[in-house]
């Protein structure tokens, strides 16, 4: 692939690079290749093995950005080949900021939509130590210094033409230490996350952009995700709805790209990383020329 500079207007974000600060959860899932192909352009090569690719989601809360404070959910369909490495492809981007949505669509070529993030936090007592918790503690999934756990439910609702559409509910269950420390938050790391975007009705070019991330990272328990079917069943609060709730977790939505993105969220998680003291630098996108349509 050949990369060329693009002269996209930067709108209200100002000149790049754009800086975002806050915290995030980066969760990797095994996504069926057939689901990922609903989003990836035919002239791009999907990275897959045994019928699966690596996708997931990036859930962030920014307290400082060109658009001010806002929440963001990036649903990652899978990986697209870009020799000698690969780039992530976003299936859907949900933000509770009109400015961020417009910038994502027009400048970065993202499938951005305005959404509402409803949060509910519950403090739960720490459970007694066990052999299992000791093992988890050694790999960073639990910390012995925690006095309680924060249980946060985030209900994500897409807003389109004055209509609210349930997307998912994300349950985060993280340990909170008696005295917060940088060591407890994990080591300081720096990394680069390359991404492809574009081919939307707002930006028809195939684009590539990179996110330079600096943060403290630690592995955590994967967040539990419920789809809209489970949420609707739970609201009915009956024995039949409870069985329907369990069944809905294994249902694969079909039809629209919105439903396929929900399917990505409901796929099997394999790793979850918590990013604290996050500083993300996003470079301006560049236009990409593709040469092959093969899948690897």
């Amino acid at each position: 692939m050949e990369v060329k500079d693009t002269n996209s207007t930067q709108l209200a974000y100002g000149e790049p690079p754009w800086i975002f600060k806050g915290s995030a959860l980066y969760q990797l899932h095994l996504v069926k290749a057939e689901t990922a192909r609903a989003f990836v352009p035919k002239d791009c090569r999907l990275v897959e093995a045994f019928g699966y690719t690596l996708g997931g989601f990036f859930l962030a809360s920014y307290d400082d950005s060109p658009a001010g404070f806002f929440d963001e959910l990036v649903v990652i369909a899978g990986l697209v080949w870009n020799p000698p490495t690969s780039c992530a492809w976003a299936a859907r981007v949900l933000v509770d900021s009109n400015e961020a949505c417009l910038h994502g669509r027009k400048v970065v070529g993202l499938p951005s939509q305005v959404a509402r993030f409803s949060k509910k936090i519950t403090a739960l007592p720490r459970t007694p130590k066990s052999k299992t918790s000791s093992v988890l503690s050694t790999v960073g999934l639990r910390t012995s210094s925690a006095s309680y756990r924060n249980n946060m439910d985030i209900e994500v609702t897409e807003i389109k033409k004055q209509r609210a559409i349930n997307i998912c509910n994300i349950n985060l269950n993280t340990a909170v230490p008696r005295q917060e420390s940088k060591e407890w938050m994990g080591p300081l790391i720096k990394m680069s996350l390359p991404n492809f975007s574009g081919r939307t009705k707002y930006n028809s070019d195939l684009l590539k952009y990179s996110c330079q991330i600096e943060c403290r990272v630690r592995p955590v328990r994967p967040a539990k995700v419920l789809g809209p079917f489970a949420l609707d069943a739970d609201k009915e609060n009956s024995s039949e709805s409870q069985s329907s709730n369990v069944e809905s977790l294994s249902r694969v939505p079909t039809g629209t790209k919105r439903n396929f993105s929900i399917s990505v969220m409901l796929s099997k998680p394999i790793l979850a990383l918590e990013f604290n003291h996050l500083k993300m630098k996003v470079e301006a996108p560049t236009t990409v020329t593709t040469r092959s349509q093969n899948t690897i």
Side-chain angles (χ1 to χ4, degrees):
M1 295 184 179
E2 296 178 353
V3 180
K4 300 178 181 179
D5 290 335
T6 184
N7 294 320
S8 300
T9 177
Q10 309 307 337
L11 301 179
Y13 265 47
E15 293 298 321
W18 304 292
I19 307 297
F20 300 79
K21 296 180 181 180
S23 59
L25 174 71
Y26 187 33
Q27 188 157 304
L28 300 177
H29 289 213
L30 286 177
V31 179
K32 289 184 178 180
E34 59 184 304
T35 300
R37 289 195 190 97
F39 305 98
V40 176
K42 293 181 179 179
D43 56 355
C44 293
R45 296 185 294 169
L46 181 67
V47 178
E48 65 167 296
F50 307 106
Y52 289 89
T53 185
L54 191 62
F57 65 88
F58 183 80
L59 176 66
S61 180
Y62 303 115
D63 49 38
D64 185 14
S65 80
F69 172 85
F70 72 95
D71 291 325
E72 177 181 52
L73 173 62
V74 181
V75 182
I76 304 168
L79 297 178
V80 175
W81 184 241
N82 181 47
T85 181
S86 58
C87 294
W89 188 278
R92 206 166 195 81
V93 177
L94 299 166
V95 292
D96 60 352
S97 164
N98 289 325
E99 186 178 349
C101 179
L102 182 61
H103 178 83
R105 286 176 176 179
K106 298 290 187 178
V107 179
V108 192
L110 293 171
S112 299
Q113 298 289 339
V114 175
R116 180 173 62 241
F117 292 73
S118 302
K119 302 179 182 180
K120 180 181 178 182
I121 302 176
T122 306
L124 302 176
R126 184 182 60 176
T127 55
K129 276 191 175 184
S130 64
K131 292 183 179 180
T132 303
S133 64
S134 297
V135 173
L136 291 173
S137 181
T138 61
V139 297
L141 296 181
R142 179 173 297 183
T143 172
S144 59
S145 62
S147 57
Y148 63 92
R149 302 184 70 84
N150 265 351
N151 187 79
M152 176 185 288
D153 280 301
I154 305 175
E155 186 168 338
V156 184
T157 306
E158 183 178 321
I159 308 299
K160 189 170 185 179
K161 296 181 179 179
Q162 307 303 318
R163 181 187 172 199
I165 305 169
N166 285 336
I167 300 299
C168 64
N169 181 283
I170 304 173
N171 178 265
L172 307 175
N173 195 340
T174 58
V176 177
R178 293 190 183 93
Q179 293 184 344
E180 192 172 286
S181 66
K182 291 182 178 180
E183 290 74 16
W184 175 81
M185 290 185 178
L188 178 64
I189 67 165
K190 295 181 180 180
M191 64 174 139
S192 177
L193 297 179
N195 303 272
F196 277 137
S197 60
R199 296 294 171 81
T200 69
K201 65 180 180 180
Y202 303 103
N203 196 322
S204 60
D205 291 332
L206 179 63
L207 306 175
K208 180 182 178 182
Y209 68 98
S210 65
C211 299
Q212 306 297 327
I213 291 179
E214 180 179 328
C215 65
R216 291 196 172 272
V217 62
R218 67 176 186 131
V220 293
R221 293 181 183 276
K224 295 180 181 179
V225 181
L226 295 179
F229 310 113
L231 294 176
D232 294 339
D234 186 57
K235 289 176 182 178
E236 293 177 8
N237 194 25
S238 66
S239 57
E240 291 184 2
S241 68
Q242 289 177 6
S243 61
S244 175
N245 189 9
V246 175
E247 180 184 357
S248 68
L249 291 177
S250 61
R251 289 177 58 183
V252 178
T254 58
T256 66
K257 285 192 173 182
R258 179 189 298 111
N259 286 340
F260 275 113
S261 66
I262 293 172
S263 181
V264 172
M265 295 291 295
L266 297 178
S267 58
K268 183 177 178 59
I270 58 175
L271 176 66
L273 299 174
E274 184 181 82
F275 293 170
N276 288 293
H277 298 292
L278 170 68
K279 180 180 179 181
M280 181 170 66
K281 181 191 299 183
V282 180
E283 302 290 346
T286 53
T287 303
V288 180
T289 302
T290 58
R291 293 177 178 174
S292 175
Q293 298 182 3
N294 297 327
T295 299
I296 64 169

